Amino acid sequence: MHSALGLPLEAYKVVLVVDLVESVRLMAGHEEAVVQHWRAFMDHASREVLPRHHGRLVKSLGDGLLAEFDEPVDAVRTALALNQFFPRINRPLPADQQLHLRAGINASHLYVGEHDVYGHGVNLAARVAGLGEAGDIIVTAPVRDAIVDGVDGEVEDMGESYLKHWPEPVRTWRVNPVRADQPSWRPERREAPASDFRPSIAVIPFDARTPAPEHFVIGELIADGVIAQLARSQDIRVIARLSTTAFRGRQATPGEIDARLDATFVLSGGYAVLGDKVLITAELADTRRGEVVWADRLSGDTLDLMQLHSELIHQLSTACTHALLNAEVQRSLVLPLPQLDSNALMLGGITLMHRSTPRDLQRSQQLLEAVAERHKRVAAPWAWLAKWHIMQVVQGLSPDPANDFRRAISIADRALDLEPNSTLAMSIKGHALCHLGTDVDASHRLLLEATQSNPNDPMAWLYNSVWSTMWGDPEDSMKQAEQALHLSPLDPQKYYFEMMLANSCLAMGRLEESIKLCQSSLQKNRYHVPTIRALVIAQYEQGLVAEARESFAVLLKLQPDLSLQKYLAAGRNSPLRQRGAKALEMLGLH
């Protein structure tokens, strides 16, 4: 862990800081008992918990510990496991003698030595731990982005905090254990309609068999390519890529994946990179029978995975489809971004866009513009840039909403010029037209075309739901939003899905359900202005005026220049928008 000069090596690591709450008071009153309990805890942590979750104990801090990991999910699982140690010991003790932990987790580049780790990342983990109360596990953005809400824990957005000796506010999240008695909202499992006999498939990102970090993204690239090809078939329902990536490297059984994703089949595997060659092993499992129905090994050039017509991706997709349907599936094109770094830029831009804060939106624009500039003939970056302009409006950050919607339409048209069948670009253009309200029929035609062109695109279904909420039948809106969530049940943007379901309930007069969905959405992203607006309206119409005023105050804090004119700048003639304007006016908006 040291360089040739004896200096610590720099590496990207996850650091966990755990401390004992009110340790000074506890030691002062019951030193011997506290020391005894703490020694037992450290023995449990070092011998059982840390080895089980691939962690390294860096050092004991007397009333805390410092550990480092390669993966954020391992650090979170360790913290959750350590929190289970003291409840048994605390049962016979009076409240003032009970021992409680709190933890902070951060991921960054650190200097790693044999007996210590150094750097600002360690300090930040300690600082965010200090934000917690007894039993709290507080994580920073890099850790939050690497864990799955509802699988690795129940995640609660704590917003931004100013920390001592830290130059800018830090966004943090609290992670609680997944509670079986209160699962996060999801549509209940149901049989597919009689007209839809298609089996569903989840393609899990393939695992690297070689340790080089630069090879890790290849597994995502394989999954992207296979999903893109399988999604072209009208005979298969394909689970969205952003949901299936949650199971990368988790050693989950097909049954566990089916329970989360409602997938009839699971395609998974691994790969090894040897020079300029890649060897892929793949298997297709039937989750109903719990058995492998097909397995094979393929090899080829690593650069082949970057090509528009990838032979490796084609072989894998065709073999999988033959095994699944016992028939030949139509060929389709794969359009992956040609460089791994570009892929990372794209994912970063999308992720930051949906965090909703002005600073994150600004950074998102920079990343997406960099990808679009690098790959001028690729449609996807332009489509997401169009979505970025819509996000500026819905977050109340646009000085001219109508112009930003028109800008989004223009950029989406550029994407459609590059790829006329891009359902993403179609959906986003239709979404912008829907909000602009000048050509409602055209927006509806585009959104319907997107779902017909690719029935497996959750965003197309979600934006159809927006249209139905604003201009159509609210019951259709609910069905479309549920279909979107069925296609991507573990989507990182689940707060947005829940917001749309809340608006569907609001349009249908199901106010209590709308309020619950808004609250669930805000727990995942407390800065999403449209969700807060929906909550204000639902609370006011439900007669919860005091609660509505509290939510209205939060809305004005995030959007202090909000006015009725600005609120009605988009979709003025929509019945739901008119109801919202009435509620906001009664609460004092002018």
Side-chain angles (χ1 to χ4, degrees), residues 13-18 66-69 71-83 102-108 121-130 136-144 146-147 152 170-175:
K13 290 287 185 179
V14 184
V15 62
L16 164 67
V17 172
V18 176
L66 174 63
E68 55 104 346
F69 303 80
E71 299 295 335
V73 67
D74 289 328
V76 171
R77 288 173 176 172
T78 296
L80 289 168
L82 293 177
N83 265 347
R102 60 184 178 182
I105 307 176
N106 180 45
S108 67
V122 180
N123 297 334
L124 183 55
R127 292 274 187 252
V128 300
D136 281 352
I137 300 168
I138 312 298
V139 304
T140 58
V143 179
R144 169 63 187 95
I147 62 177
D152 300 315
V170 176
R171 182 98 172 257
T172 58
W173 289 259
R174 180 186 291 110
V175 181

Side-chain angles (χ1 to χ4, degrees), residues 66-278:
L66 174 63
E68 55 104 346
F69 303 80
D70 291 329
E71 299 295 335
V73 67
D74 289 328
V76 171
R77 288 173 176 172
T78 296
L80 289 168
L82 293 177
N83 265 347
Q84 297 173 10
F85 181 80
F86 283 116
R88 175 181 56 83
I89 293 174
N90 285 337
R91 282 192 206 108
L93 298 177
D96 64 346
Q97 296 181 32
Q98 293 182 357
L99 286 75
H100 300 281
L101 302 173
R102 60 184 178 182
I105 307 176
N106 180 45
S108 67
H109 281 89
L110 304 171
Y111 291 98
V112 181
E114 184 176 355
H115 302 294
D116 211 344
V117 289
Y118 312 85
H120 288 299
V122 180
N123 297 334
L124 183 55
R127 292 274 187 252
V128 300
L131 295 174
E133 298 177 355
D136 281 352
I137 300 168
I138 312 298
V139 304
T140 58
V143 179
R144 169 63 187 95
D145 291 342
I147 62 177
V148 181
D149 187 21
V151 174
D152 300 315
E154 298 289 350
V155 182
E156 179 181 351
D157 188 350
M158 295 180 65
E160 293 180 333
S161 301
Y162 287 88
L163 303 176
K164 186 177 181 180
H165 302 312
W166 211 258
E168 59 182 18
V170 176
R171 182 98 172 257
T172 58
W173 289 259
R174 180 186 291 110
V175 181
N176 298 308
V178 177
R179 294 180 56 182
D181 60 331
Q182 289 186 347
S184 57
W185 191 93
R186 71 179 68 161
E188 59 181 310
R189 290 172 70 97
R190 61 190 182 197
E191 293 297 322
S195 60
D196 187 359
F197 298 103
R198 298 175 302 163
S200 57
I201 183 170
V203 183
I204 308 301
F206 284 36
D207 290 329
R209 309 300 192 208
T210 47
E214 63 269 21
H215 295 158
F216 289 171
V217 75
I218 291 176
E220 308 279 352
L221 195 64
I222 294 169
D224 282 347
V226 174
I227 287 172
Q229 287 215 13
L230 295 183
R232 301 280 183 175
S233 172
Q234 299 300 307
D235 300 317
I236 303 171
R237 282 195 303 120
V238 184
I239 305 297
R241 150 77 166 77
L242 289 176
S243 281
T244 60
T245 197
F247 288 93
R248 178 175 187 168
R250 294 174 189 270
Q251 306 301 316
T253 67
E256 290 169 340
I257 295 172
D258 177 41
R260 289 286 180 176
L261 300 180
D262 192 16
T264 313
F265 291 88
V266 174
L267 178 66
S268 60
Y271 60 92
V273 178
L274 305 170
D276 59 354
K277 299 292 184 180
V278 59

Side-chain angles (χ1 to χ4, degrees), residues 291-529:
E291 63 183 41
V292 174
V293 296
W294 168 82
D296 203 355
R297 302 175 72 192
L298 305 129
S299 63
D301 294 335
T302 305
L303 289 177
D304 172 75
L305 295 171
M306 313 296 293
Q307 304 305 311
L308 181 64
H309 302 278
S310 168
E311 183 62 26
L312 272 174
I313 295 296
H314 173 72
Q315 290 178 28
L316 183 56
S317 300
T318 302
C320 173
T321 304
H322 282 176
L324 182 64
L325 302 174
N326 198 26
E328 185 176 9
V329 68
Q330 66 180 41
R331 294 171 179 251
S332 62
L333 300 178
V334 179
L335 193 62
L337 291 173
Q339 295 183 18
L340 299 181
D341 286 347
S342 297
N343 189 40
L345 283 174
M346 178 82 119
L347 291 175
I350 296 168
T351 299
L352 288 171
M353 183 196 310
H354 290 92
R355 285 194 192 158
S356 308
T357 65
R359 185 170 64 251
D360 288 331
L361 279 166
Q362 182 182 22
R363 181 60 175 165
S364 168
Q365 182 185 27
Q366 294 169 353
L367 295 175
L368 293 172
E369 286 179 344
V371 180
E373 178 63 27
R374 187 179 297 176
H375 306 287
K376 296 182 176 66
R377 305 301 302 170
V378 179
W382 295 106
W384 283 111
L385 268 174
K387 171 67 182 298
W388 182 90
H389 283 275
I390 298 174
M391 289 293 289
Q392 281 286 100
V393 177
V394 300
Q395 280 299 114
L397 300 173
S398 170
D400 188 348
N403 185 59
D404 259 320
F405 281 130
R406 286 190 288 268
R407 178 69 174 149
I409 293 166
S410 174
I411 296 173
D413 278 334
R414 180 168 184 171
L416 287 169
D417 287 339
L418 294 170
E419 188 180 340
N421 295 322
S422 168
T423 56
L424 177 64
M426 273 187 243
S427 301
I428 291 172
K429 179 180 178 180
H431 191 48
L433 283 167
C434 171
H435 280 291
L436 191 60
T438 55
D439 197 342
V440 173
D441 290 337
S443 69
H444 197 206
R445 286 194 300 270
L446 265 174
L447 293 167
L448 288 176
E449 183 180 353
T451 53
Q452 292 165 1
S453 177
N454 184 2
N456 300 304
D457 187 342
M459 297 307 292
W461 286 104
L462 200 62
Y463 290 151
N464 267 281
S465 175
V466 176
W467 191 94
S468 296
T469 298
M470 293 182 66
W471 308 107
D473 185 342
E475 291 192 8
D476 288 341
S477 170
M478 175 64 75
K479 294 175 184 176
Q480 290 155 350
E482 286 184 338
Q483 175 68 1
L485 193 52
H486 270 292
L487 288 169
S488 192
L490 295 177
D491 200 293
Q493 301 168 33
K494 190 173 180 180
Y495 78 89
Y496 191 81
F497 288 58
E498 290 181 338
M499 181 272 291
M500 277 315 309
L501 284 163
N503 271 310
S504 299
C505 291
L506 181 59
M508 296 167 67
R510 292 159 54 176
L511 300 178
E512 184 176 352
E513 191 173 351
S514 178
I515 291 170
K516 289 180 179 178
L517 284 163
C518 284
Q519 291 169 340
S520 179
S521 175
L522 288 172
Q523 190 172 22
K524 298 170 178 64
N525 185 352
R526 65 168 60 188
Y527 296 111
H528 194 232
V529 169

